Amino acid sequence: MESDAYKIVFEKHGVFLHTSAKRQNDQDSMIPGVIRLIEKTSDVLLQWIPIEEDGDMTQIHYTKKFVQESPGTAACRAEEDMFDPGYEPDWAVISTVGTKVRPQEDLTAVKPGNREKWAFSLSLSELKSVRKSKPGLSWSYLIFITKEGVSLQALHFHQGGTKALLKALRKYVILAVSPKDSRLFLVYPHDSHALSHSFDELQMFDDDGSSDLVSRFFQDPYSATFGGFSKVTSFFRGALRHQDAHHQRPLSEMAIGLEDEPGFEVISCVELGERPVIQRQAPVSEQEWESYINSEGQVMNVDGLKKRIFSGGLCPGLRKDAWKYLLGYYPWDSTAEDRKSLVRRKTDEYFRMKLQWKSVSDDQEKRNSLLRGYRSLIERDVSRTDRNNKFYEGNDNPGLCLLNDALMTYCMFNFDLGYVQGMSDLLSPILYVMQNEVDAFWCFTGFMEMVHHNFEESQESMKRQLSQLNLLLRVLDSALCDFLDSKESGNLSCCFRWLLIWFKREFSFQDILLLWEVLWTGLPCPNFHLLVACGILDSEREALMNSDYGFNEILKHINELTMKMSVEDILCRAEALNQQLAHCQELPFNIKELLGMVDVKSPAPSTDTASPPQPLSPSQVHELDLTDSVSPSQPDSSIEILPTEDTTTSQSLSP
């Protein structure tokens, strides 16, 4: 009988099976193999088979494209690099996998051999769940679990590719994050009765709309993150809307029966009071700063000083000292003698860490792909960071060396995070102000304590912040939200870069110094940076809504705001928006919570080491990040958001 026709729709080499976790570094315990998705006429198979290392092993390479700095030059350059730093920064690079073309052979049957006892070929209809490894510096792995409860041996992706595989799987099944375990993805067919029934129980749509909602909900996992199952957001509004607009169900009806759902809150129209007029004050002068310092060098009336910094910023001559307090390098209650002792101790600590990577020989580095990869990324980013600033211009500028060394040392300080593109943007202004490598480094670590979640592989914090921004904008300007929804821009992905590196690319260098010191005060509320983003959108409201812009044009318009905005105007708008919300009597609870307007119960005591307050809290909404981002060709902008690829256009992942 003739077998079903088949087609390889996904293939990835460099996928190792570790036969013994205790002997992880033992080559005999690591079996190299290839994982494939094979589409047959009647089924789709997930297959892993071992390959001989001395055989015709397909060479995997990564092509990473980076945007050039200078306008008028080639749009991008490509580098082939065997290094995968352990994360997949989709917002920064495009990674494509190339393979040798092999003659067609029957791959659906596993061939007998010495290592073939570990091979498997599993129908996706028999797959129950997929477990993903924790983000970290080790190899990413996936564990596949069958409906019979059998856990297959973990597959370690030494050359990356877990996201690509999960994205390919998503074409055939639904991957839903388990509510009990954020790393466990439950597998459902696209016509899943189980998920449809779950939606039915929430009474969020008419009885005949469940299967359509489930399908549309998981077509866009990025938007699906914004709201999950607990919030009605713009995506749900769109998903719940019937194809015939005349039969659209009112939002009030959709909320029926949800009052008892824990954490559920419908964002309805809120009557905001008149927006106040805000006037910025003069910067804190050196004389005024001295009035807050007592005879022992301690800062008095810290709250009052922070309020002054928030309302007016600092004069340039104060920043070198004041930023050390704002970024946690200097304790506010420290004396002059305390700070002298602290600087000596921190200087010794810094150079000990710097020596760790400086003392690595070339021969050692050949066997340390992680360090080699970080060095390459840092050198590449440093070479194009703020080169128009006199402090960094020129090829032999000492500022570039300091920037490079501080970022390399941060990799030693934070092994788990290492270096991710965009960090150089955060360090550059700090180094410019401090004019000192050690002081800049410790201030940078304080800044990273606030925003390090932005750079984690899962990007959960970024998704959460975009979701929070959507909630704020829904209350502040529902008409603008509806307009963006109608243009497929309701997920506010155009604001991604703003939040990622705290508007570093949006304002002039001097304006960023002011904006950051204002944000570092933590006033007037938590997450004020989200209100700054709302202020920018508010300033562009008329330009957006009075145009015929589509999705692409909106992104282009937002990107072209760079260096064209007044930071003083945006800060006034953001503060005015905060006061509007603070004076609103019927503000939804989740907005109050987001802006610190309600008392939050203290969490139960934990055995973990306490960490300092962080304006950017980690995401509590987990979802699979399977989207690709592309960087357009604009000067000095390697972090850019473009329209996602058309989901109707299928692109083969096979060789």
Side-chain angles (χ1 to χ4, degrees):
M1 181 177 180
E2 185 177 353
S3 60
D4 289 345
Y6 65 88
K7 178 176 68 172
I8 301 173
V9 294
F10 177 84
E11 182 177 84
K12 178 67 179 176
H13 286 251
V15 181
F16 285 69
L17 187 145
H18 293 198
T19 60
S20 173
K22 295 181 180 179
R23 297 187 297 143
Q24 202 166 34
N25 294 325
D26 184 353
Q27 196 65 27
D28 292 335
S29 70
M30 297 189 296
I31 302 177
V34 57
I35 193 165
R36 299 185 177 106
L37 274 180
I38 302 175
E39 191 178 89
K40 302 181 68 176
T41 303
S42 57
D43 201 0
V44 180
L45 302 178
L46 176 68
Q47 179 192 79
W48 181 86
I49 58 173
I51 59 175
E52 295 298 328
E53 294 174 284
D54 56 352
D56 183 21
M57 184 173 181
T58 304
Q59 179 67 49
I60 301 297
H61 67 272
Y62 286 84
T63 301
K64 301 185 177 182
K65 299 179 181 179
F66 295 85
V67 176
Q68 289 282 4
E69 179 180 353
S70 303
T73 60
C76 63
R77 58 184 174 87
E79 282 193 23
E80 292 190 1
D81 189 358
M82 291 297 295
F83 168 71
D84 181 8
Y87 57 85
E88 300 178 45
D90 293 333
W91 52 267
V93 300
I94 313 162
S95 296
T96 59
V97 178
T99 61
K100 295 178 181 177
V101 179
R102 296 192 314 275
Q104 184 78 351
E105 55 179 325
D106 187 0
L107 300 172
T108 60
V110 177
K111 301 176 182 179
N114 185 34
R115 296 179 171 182
E116 275 66 21
K117 65 178 182 179
W118 300 102
F120 66 82
S121 184
L122 177 69
S123 170
L124 294 190
S125 63
E126 296 301 316
L127 188 60
K128 179 182 179 181
S129 58
V130 182
R131 179 175 294 280
K132 188 179 180 182
S133 59
K134 290 183 179 180
L137 298 183
S138 59
W139 293 309
S140 298
Y141 67 79
L142 296 176
I143 298 176
F144 298 97
I145 304 168
T146 70
K147 290 183 177 179
E148 297 179 351
V150 177
S151 295
L152 302 177
Q153 200 79 10
L155 298 180
H156 296 253
F157 289 68
H158 288 201
Q159 297 171 336
T162 55
K163 286 187 179 181
L165 174 59
L166 293 172
K167 181 177 181 180
L169 283 172
R170 186 176 140 262
K171 293 174 59 179
Y172 306 99
V173 293
I174 292 170
L175 297 177
V177 177
S178 168
K180 298 181 180 180
D181 187 346
S182 62
R183 296 189 292 118
L184 184 66
F185 302 110
L186 307 178
V187 179
Y188 299 94
H190 280 291
D191 59 351
S192 169
H193 171 74
L195 278 185
S196 299
H197 183 66
S198 298
F199 281 104
D200 287 334
E201 289 180 343
L202 290 179
Q203 302 179 23
M204 294 177 66
F205 41 83
D206 295 332
D207 294 337
D208 60 351
S210 60
S211 61
D212 177 64
L213 174 62
V214 172
S215 175
R216 295 173 64 191
F217 181 80
F218 284 98
Q219 282 177 2
D220 188 353
Y222 191 76
S223 296
T225 304
F226 306 148
F229 292 87
S230 61
K231 297 282 188 292
V232 172
T233 63
S234 59
F235 179 81
F236 269 102
R237 284 158 51 93
L240 295 168
R241 189 176 295 120
H242 286 279
Q243 299 300 323
D244 184 354
H246 296 289
H247 295 87
Q248 180 177 344
R249 187 174 180 180
L251 185 62
S252 58
E253 292 183 19
M254 289 189 277
I256 295 175
L258 294 174
E259 292 83 354
D260 297 329
E261 283 292 326
F264 190 94
E265 186 164 4
V266 176
I267 303 300
S268 56
C269 293
V270 175
E271 290 295 330
L272 296 175
E274 185 178 353
R275 186 180 301 181
V277 177
I278 302 297
Q279 295 290 334
R280 297 281 299 165
Q281 298 182 21
V284 177
S285 66
E286 295 185 20
Q287 183 178 3
E288 184 179 0
W289 175 269
E290 289 298 328
S291 68
Y292 286 92
I293 309 298
N294 66 14
S295 58
E296 295 183 351
Q298 293 175 304
V299 179
M300 309 301 293
N301 189 11
V302 174
D303 291 341
L305 179 56
K306 285 184 177 180
K307 288 179 181 178
R308 275 292 292 120
I309 296 173
F310 171 78
S311 62
L314 296 158
C315 69
L318 280 177
R319 285 179 173 140
K320 188 171 184 179
D321 286 330
W323 281 21
K324 296 173 185 177
Y325 291 96
L326 291 171
L327 292 169
Y329 181 29
Y330 285 173
W332 286 99
D333 60 351
S334 62
T335 65
E337 288 300 319
D338 292 337
R339 293 191 291 275
K340 288 180 181 179
S341 176
L342 175 69
V343 169
R344 286 194 298 267
R345 187 170 69 253
K346 288 295 187 180
T347 299
D348 290 342
E349 185 177 351
Y350 174 78
F351 283 107
R352 280 198 302 270
M353 290 187 294
K354 184 173 180 178
L355 185 61
Q356 290 177 352
W357 64 267
K358 277 284 191 180
S359 60
V360 174
S361 67
D362 292 341
D363 189 50
Q364 284 179 300
E365 189 168 307
K366 290 178 181 178
R367 297 186 295 273
N368 191 334
S369 62
L370 195 61
L371 179 63
R372 190 169 64 248
Y374 286 146
R375 187 191 297 275
S376 175
L377 284 174
I378 290 171
E379 289 177 353
R380 197 151 42 213
D381 281 3
V382 165
S383 68
R384 59 187 181 184
T385 299
D386 293 323
R387 299 307 301 277
N388 293 328
N389 188 302
K390 290 184 178 180
F391 188 75
Y392 298 108
E393 67 181 6
N395 295 326
D396 298 323
N397 193 303
L400 297 177
C401 296
L402 297 180
L403 190 63
N404 178 88
D405 289 1
L407 291 171
M408 283 295 298
T409 305
Y410 186 78
C411 294
M412 300 294 104
F413 174 80
N414 190 339
F415 284 101
D416 290 339
L417 187 59
Y419 178 79
V420 182
Q421 283 183 298
M423 290 182 183
S424 61
D425 278 290
L426 301 186
L427 174 58
S428 170
I430 296 175
L431 182 59
Y432 168 83
V433 167
M434 295 298 154
Q435 305 278 308
N436 178 282
E437 179 180 358
V438 175
D439 292 344
F441 174 83
W442 290 114
C443 288
F444 173 67
T445 61
F447 195 5
M448 287 302 298
E449 280 295 310
M450 302 178 190
V451 299
H452 70 92
H453 293 295
N454 289 10
F455 298 95
E456 292 178 351
E457 178 187 6
S458 65
Q459 294 188 350
E460 290 172 357
S461 177
M462 291 304 303
K463 295 172 188 175
R464 180 171 177 79
Q465 289 174 77
L466 288 171
S467 175
Q468 292 169 337
L469 179 59
N470 182 283
L471 290 172
L472 283 172
L473 194 63
R474 177 69 58 189
V475 171
L476 290 167
D477 195 338
S478 60
L480 178 57
C481 262
D482 290 338
F483 169 79
L484 294 174
D485 285 345
S486 69
K487 303 299 182 179
E488 300 181 347
S489 301
N491 60 17
L492 300 177
S493 60
C494 55
C495 307
F496 185 98
R497 188 179 69 185
W498 300 357
L499 306 182
L500 180 73
I501 52 175
W502 274 27
F503 312 96
K504 169 61 166 55
R505 303 282 181 88
E506 318 315 318
F507 296 96
S508 69
F509 197 88
Q510 292 300 321
D511 279 353
I512 278 296
L513 305 184
L514 170 61
L515 176 61
W516 283 2
E517 63 198 16
V518 167
L519 293 176
W520 290 336
T521 64
L523 298 175
C525 64
N527 297 300
F528 185 66
H529 67 292
L530 297 180
L531 289 175
V532 171
C534 288
I536 297 175
L537 293 172
D538 179 72
S539 69
E540 297 301 314
R541 183 183 195 275
E542 299 302 321
L544 291 171
M545 297 186 67
N546 293 337
S547 66
D548 294 326
Y549 287 166
F551 180 65
N552 292 347
E553 290 78 15
I554 290 175
L555 285 173
K556 184 174 182 292
H557 179 84
I558 294 297
N559 287 334
E560 290 178 348
L561 294 177
T562 300
M563 306 300 168
K564 297 179 181 178
M565 297 179 289
S566 164
V567 72
E568 294 281 0
D569 173 64
I570 298 302
L571 283 172
C572 287
R573 288 175 183 267
E575 187 177 355
L577 293 174
N578 177 71
Q579 291 191 21
Q580 266 191 303
L581 294 171
H583 294 145
C584 179
Q585 298 298 318
E586 53 185 16
L587 201 62
F589 178 81
N590 54 356
I591 300 296
K592 292 181 179 179
E593 191 175 31
L594 179 63
L595 300 179
M597 298 176 182
V598 293
D599 293 330
V600 181
K601 294 181 179 180
S602 301
S606 172
T607 57
D608 297 335
T609 303
S611 58
Q614 298 172 353
L616 303 186
S617 58
S619 172
Q620 297 174 351
V621 181
H622 302 287
E623 184 53 62
L624 186 60
D625 178 18
L626 301 176
T627 58
D628 294 325
S629 299
V630 182
S631 301
S633 54
Q634 291 191 8
D636 192 28
S637 182
S638 62
I639 306 173
E640 203 72 53
I641 302 302
L642 275 192
T644 54
E645 61 182 357
D646 188 352
T647 55
T648 62
T649 304
S650 60
Q651 184 175 357
S652 175
L653 295 173
S654 59

